Amino acid sequence: MTQANVTQANEPASDSRWDGLILGASIATLDADSGYGEIADAALAWRDGAITYVGPRADLPGAPATLAREVVEADGWITPGLVDCHTHLVFAGDRAREFELRLQGASYEEIARAGGGILSTVRATRAADEGELLRQSLPRARALLADGATTLEIKSGYGLDFDNERKMLRVARQIGDALGIRVRTTYLAAHALPPEFSGRADAYIDAVVEWLPRLHGEGLVDAVDAFCEGIGFSRAQTRRVFEAARALGLPVKLHADQLSDLGGAALVAEFGGLSADHVEHSSLDGVQAMAERGAVAVLLPGAFHVLRETKLPPLAAFREHGVAMAVATDCNPGTSPLLSLRQAMQLACTHFRLTPEEALRGATVHAARALGLANRGVLRVAARADFVRWQVGHPAELCYWLGGTLAGDVFAGGRRVAGAA
């Protein structure tokens, strides 16, 4: 570890000893309803991928060398591993030229007529074989991991036919295997209308519903999503997708109320969904429905920033009604080419006025909840040993610095997967 001393204990390994023990850094456990859960001169231990001790060094139940196989002296701060709960990072090609055209005044419709927009990404993704799609997507996942994200959600939705949706989900699984981290896959075939179904949206939803059990049967689907919007799919069409997910016991989430209020937040709450994402136009009724059913509001400040939006999510209402707010990158080629969850946290503070503590919780505790994962996003005994040692003097610096390299070491399941050599 950089700026850390590692010692190997001399005693032979035994089943009762911890795999690793880090001493000396400050820890933000986030294991409370508020505050960082700060522990100074702390100790963090793990065994078999799970945390076995977190607390003051002075309270350890014995001499460090007798407790763990590897003992590390470290500085800085340790937080839970970050959880990016909304990404579209598996795709081929890019849309940098469209970004330039928008800045020159071209409208979305003009770009689409010229062959751009989401369907340009669909064409590129369909044209790439599985190996090429992995080759293009893996560096994006590595960038997120290097900046502290130890759990990723990855959506399909640029295939829009069975074979290519399957290909995207397979690549998402391969990314998790390659990086040694957890990837949660989300089926988002109801993302846009493919050209072969032009003018036949209901028929396309028939196909989306028919593909789902086949893909789920292959172990490729952890959750189901849809784009409920005027330029996407209606509430009735989204409801059909959700009913198909419910029949398979799959949780749902939703691209909800990004451009207008179609009642998406209330709809996902009705189905006991994990999260409503974007939510800039969600109504008070939607907020209250989310609060009643425990749905998480996933804030996506990257898209807000790139699209230069001005309509803020109902942040005061979320706070008033106790709706948990997660923060994610929305990494995608068109509206949020963002490769740092820490930068998303900074944008959430700048644009949405979240506090650094709210942003950190949003990228850990609440993001894990938005994926239905109870064993990460917090540092407590029995939680998965996903954590990051940051080279900072206080957790607020994670939202203060624009860019740069702050992650010293990144651990997933007790294994070091990224960071300084």
Side-chain angles (χ1 to χ4, degrees):
M1 278 189 176
T2 301
Q3 295 181 320
N5 297 315
V6 181
T7 61
Q8 300 287 339
N10 295 323
E11 294 85 349
S14 68
D15 289 342
S16 62
R17 296 168 68 201
W18 299 327
D19 295 333
L21 172 63
I22 296 179
L23 303 171
S26 296
I27 291 181
T29 67
L30 302 181
D31 192 18
D33 292 335
S34 62
Y36 290 108
E38 177 179 348
I39 303 172
D41 191 20
L44 177 68
W46 63 93
R47 182 172 180 267
D48 295 334
I51 294 172
T52 51
Y53 179 89
V54 57
R57 182 209 297 249
D59 292 347
L60 282 168
T66 68
L67 295 171
R69 297 184 178 96
E70 183 178 80
V71 181
V72 176
E73 286 281 352
D75 58 7
W77 275 80
I78 294 173
T79 73
L82 305 184
V83 177
D84 198 345
C85 64
H86 183 129
T87 86
H88 304 254
L89 69 82
V90 169
F91 59 86
D94 66 66
R95 280 150 61 190
R97 177 56 179 156
E98 292 179 27
F99 176 70
E100 186 174 37
L101 290 172
R102 281 201 306 270
L103 293 175
Q104 293 170 351
S107 68
Y108 181 87
E109 290 77 12
E110 290 168 338
I111 291 171
R113 282 197 301 270
I118 186 174
L119 292 183
S120 68
T121 299
V122 172
R123 288 192 296 272
T125 301
R126 286 180 172 184
D129 64 22
E130 195 167 298
E132 176 61 17
L133 191 57
L134 177 63
R135 186 192 69 79
Q136 292 192 39
S137 302
L138 191 56
R140 293 187 280 269
R142 288 192 193 281
L144 292 168
L145 174 62
D147 210 26
T150 56
T151 300
L152 302 177
E153 185 258 18
I154 301 178
K155 303 178 190 294
S156 66
Y158 294 127
L160 307 186
D161 63 24
F162 177 80
D163 289 339
N164 286 292
E165 289 290 296
R166 182 176 182 265
K167 177 176 67 180
M168 291 186 68
L169 293 166
R170 284 173 54 87
V171 168
R173 288 281 192 242
Q174 291 170 42
I175 287 172
D177 292 340
L179 298 184
I181 63 173
R182 179 68 177 273
V183 168
R184 295 282 286 182
T185 54
T186 298
Y187 177 65
L188 181 59
H191 190 198
L193 191 64
E196 60 268 26
F197 281 88
S198 179
R200 299 187 297 126
D202 284 335
Y204 179 62
I205 293 298
D206 289 340
V208 169
V209 168
E210 190 269 330
W211 301 335
L212 176 56
R214 297 164 62 188
L215 295 170
H216 178 51
E218 295 185 27
L220 294 175
V221 180
D222 295 321
V224 175
D225 195 352
F227 183 36
C228 184
E229 192 56 75
I231 61 172
F233 296 95
S234 69
R235 278 176 56 93
Q237 291 161 345
T238 301
R239 180 179 292 277
R240 289 183 56 205
V241 175
F242 281 5
E243 287 170 346
R246 182 163 59 186
L248 295 170
L250 286 167
V252 299
K253 56 214 308 59
L254 186 64
H255 284 63
D257 309 332
Q258 179 184 10
L259 305 174
S260 61
D261 181 14
L262 293 187
L267 178 62
V268 76
E270 177 188 335
F271 279 81
L274 294 172
S275 68
D277 302 27
H278 286 289
V279 295
E280 282 91 336
H281 290 262
S282 292
S283 68
L284 181 58
D285 287 344
V287 172
Q288 291 172 332
M290 291 175 66
E292 290 170 3
R293 298 301 298 272
V296 176
V298 178
L299 307 180
L300 303 173
F304 186 92
H305 178 79
V306 170
L307 295 174
R308 293 181 290 178
E309 295 286 357
T310 58
K311 174 68 172 175
L312 293 170
L315 303 164
F318 287 145
R319 290 187 180 105
E320 179 183 351
H321 292 276
V323 174
M325 293 183 288
V327 177
T329 62
D330 192 18
C331 173
N332 75 72
T335 61
S336 189
L338 180 55
L339 296 177
S340 166
L341 182 50
R342 190 172 59 79
Q343 184 66 67
M345 292 160 56
Q346 202 284 333
L347 291 173
C349 292
T350 300
H351 288 306
F352 300 156
R353 301 296 192 269
L354 265 62
T355 67
E357 180 200 328
E358 285 179 316
L360 180 57
R361 285 182 173 277
T364 52
V365 180
H366 300 323
R369 181 174 158 191
L371 296 181
L373 297 173
N375 67 338
R376 66 199 68 200
V378 64
L379 298 179
R380 66 165 70 104
V381 171
R384 179 175 159 89
D386 290 0
F387 57 90
V388 185
R389 185 184 66 83
W390 303 95
Q391 300 174 82
V392 298
H394 190 273
E397 291 187 47
L398 302 180
C399 298
Y400 167 70
W401 293 107
L402 290 162
T405 302
L406 299 184
D409 299 280
V410 182
F411 283 75
R415 294 178 53 252
R416 186 177 174 280
V417 291

